[in-house]
Amino acid sequence: MITSEELEFVGLLGTDTGRVAIVDPCYAAQVADAEAREPGSAEYIDFEYATVTPTPPGDGIYDVFNVRDERGRVVGIYVDLAGQFADADTDESPAPAKVAA
């Protein structure tokens, strides 16, 4: 069981489709292409390089946390779809990375 003490807030994840993808950025275009060809299809395609899953609450913005072990190493990523850790410390969010256009 994850506790709020193990969580480190790293940012927000938003969705307008009611689904999210966990993917290496170099493969994101392939997931987006599948979605563009047939909306909703990405949820059901077996990507060898990505996981797509519905967000039970649907559209929204969700807190994302690193899960750290007792030595401080990142051992997982947690997306709080249900607001289970709404009381977690999100004040120390990292500065957003600048992405070239």
Side-chain angles (χ1 to χ4, degrees):
M1 179 73 173
I2 297 173
T3 65
S4 59
E5 292 78 30
E6 296 170 291
L7 300 177
E8 171 191 30
F9 179 73
V10 294
L12 299 171
L13 175 65
T15 178
D16 288 329
T17 64
R19 293 181 313 282
V20 295
I22 300 171
V23 60
D24 183 313
C26 72
Y27 297 116
Q30 292 174 3
V31 175
D33 180 56
E35 179 67 17
R37 282 183 279 134
E38 185 177 339
S41 67
E43 181 178 333
Y44 305 104
I45 295 173
D46 179 21
F47 293 102
E48 292 180 30
Y49 44 80
T51 298
V52 179
T53 185
T55 55
D59 298 352
I61 299 174
Y62 308 100
D63 292 336
V64 179
F65 300 91
N66 279 339
V67 180
R68 294 191 176 267
D69 67 10
E70 63 279 347
R71 294 173 63 189
R73 296 176 299 189
V74 174
V75 295
I77 300 169
Y78 181 79
V79 179
D80 194 5
L81 298 175
Q84 180 177 355
F85 291 103
D87 62 338
D89 183 11
T90 58
D91 293 334
E92 295 297 320
S93 61
K98 297 199 182 214
V99 178

